[in-house]
Amino acid sequence: MTCCLFSLSAVTITLLGAGTLIGFIYLLNERKAQNRRKVQRAAVGKMAIGGPFSLITHEKKPVTDKDFKGQWLLIYFGFTHCPDICPEELEKLAEVTELLNRQKSKQKHPFQPVFVSVDPERDTPELITQYLKDYSPHFIGLTGTREQVAEMCKHYRVYFSQGPKVGNDYIVDHAIIMYLINPNGEFVDYYGRNKNAKEVAYAIEQHMNAFKAANA
């Protein structure tokens, strides 16, 4: 009887040990799979979003994507005649900028908010200059020909479409997303209307810290 109990205990311990080992192996495999998915998502994101562009600033200076290398960019696509959504998002972008500027002494690379007009027919550099003054002195506004703007929007997967005209007025339907680009010119993350300024600033700070650690 004692022998049987001993054998049963040994079998139980063996089964428990095997179960624990299997569980540990499963956990390791799951973590590896998660890491693979993260790398794949990052690779797809970098390939799918972002690319070269050639535009002019609100100060009428020609710029390309290469001029922004070495900086963190948070890019928003909108237009100056937007009645509500763009003002809300630019106010958020201004708040994000202020929050991050408080931490700029901790970061090697500067942070630059960018407004890209999807209404180049009306949004002249002069108009964009006046428009951005209401939000932040740190903003850079970009515009260009319709072809130049369309090319950049294509790279960033930004949809925009001019609505029907009422006199000389019209609305431009467009994607409402902010894109984060790292100092190497690579797409890192995006933020929609569901994120408030503090959440966006916190997420960007985490990306900045990770980039700093990886490039130390």
Side-chain angles (χ1 to χ4, degrees):
M1 184 69 176
T2 303
C3 181
C4 291
L5 289 174
F6 177 77
S7 299
L8 183 61
S9 298
V11 170
T12 302
I13 292 171
T14 300
L15 290 174
L16 287 174
T20 302
L21 180 60
I22 292 170
F24 181 68
I25 292 172
Y26 173 81
L27 181 61
L28 286 178
N29 288 336
E30 182 61 24
R31 286 180 178 176
K32 288 179 181 179
Q34 288 176 356
N35 288 334
R36 282 196 300 271
R37 287 193 291 268
K38 286 181 181 178
V39 171
Q40 289 168 353
R41 283 198 299 268
V44 170
K46 288 177 183 178
M47 288 188 293
I49 298 176
F53 60 84
S54 179
L55 297 168
I56 59 171
T57 72
H58 63 281
E59 296 178 332
K60 300 183 180 180
K61 296 178 181 178
V63 292
T64 71
D65 53 295
K66 295 181 176 63
D67 293 305
F68 292 99
K69 290 290 179 69
Q71 303 176 63
W72 284 94
L73 304 183
L74 189 58
I75 304 174
Y76 176 74
F77 294 80
F79 65 112
T80 64
H81 290 76
C82 182
D84 45 25
I85 294 174
C86 290
E88 290 174 4
E89 291 301 288
L90 288 176
E91 286 176 2
K92 181 166 71 176
L93 182 55
E95 187 178 347
V96 169
T97 302
E98 291 305 312
L99 289 170
L100 290 175
N101 280 346
R102 295 174 192 173
Q103 306 293 327
K104 64 182 179 181
S105 60
K106 300 179 182 178
Q107 300 299 334
K108 178 180 178 181
H109 302 282
F111 173 78
Q112 179 60 61
V114 178
F115 168 81
V116 180
S117 171
V118 293
D119 186 17
E121 287 85 355
R122 292 184 295 184
D123 285 346
T124 62
E126 293 84 359
L127 184 56
I128 294 175
T129 296
Q130 292 300 316
Y131 183 69
L132 295 182
K133 282 181 179 178
D134 292 335
Y135 298 100
S136 171
H138 303 292
F139 286 5
I140 287 181
L142 299 180
T143 188
T145 66
R146 184 171 183 82
E147 291 73 23
Q148 287 174 320
V149 170
E151 183 69 13
M152 183 176 183
C153 288
K154 182 176 71 173
H155 288 310
Y156 281 83
R157 303 298 188 266
V158 172
Y159 163 84
F160 74 101
S161 176
Q162 181 178 309
K165 287 188 176 182
V166 180
N168 291 323
D169 195 21
Y170 56 86
I171 294 296
V172 180
D173 185 23
H174 62 93
I176 308 166
I177 299 174
M178 296 181 186
Y179 293 95
L180 181 65
I181 308 298
N182 72 19
N184 293 334
E186 301 165 334
F187 165 74
V188 177
D189 206 350
Y190 68 93
Y191 312 101
R193 294 182 71 191
N194 60 317
K195 297 287 186 181
N196 63 41
K198 290 183 178 178
E199 290 171 330
V200 173
Y202 177 79
I204 293 174
E205 190 175 356
Q206 299 309 302
H207 285 301
M208 287 178 165
N209 291 336
F211 184 86
K212 182 179 179 181
N215 292 274

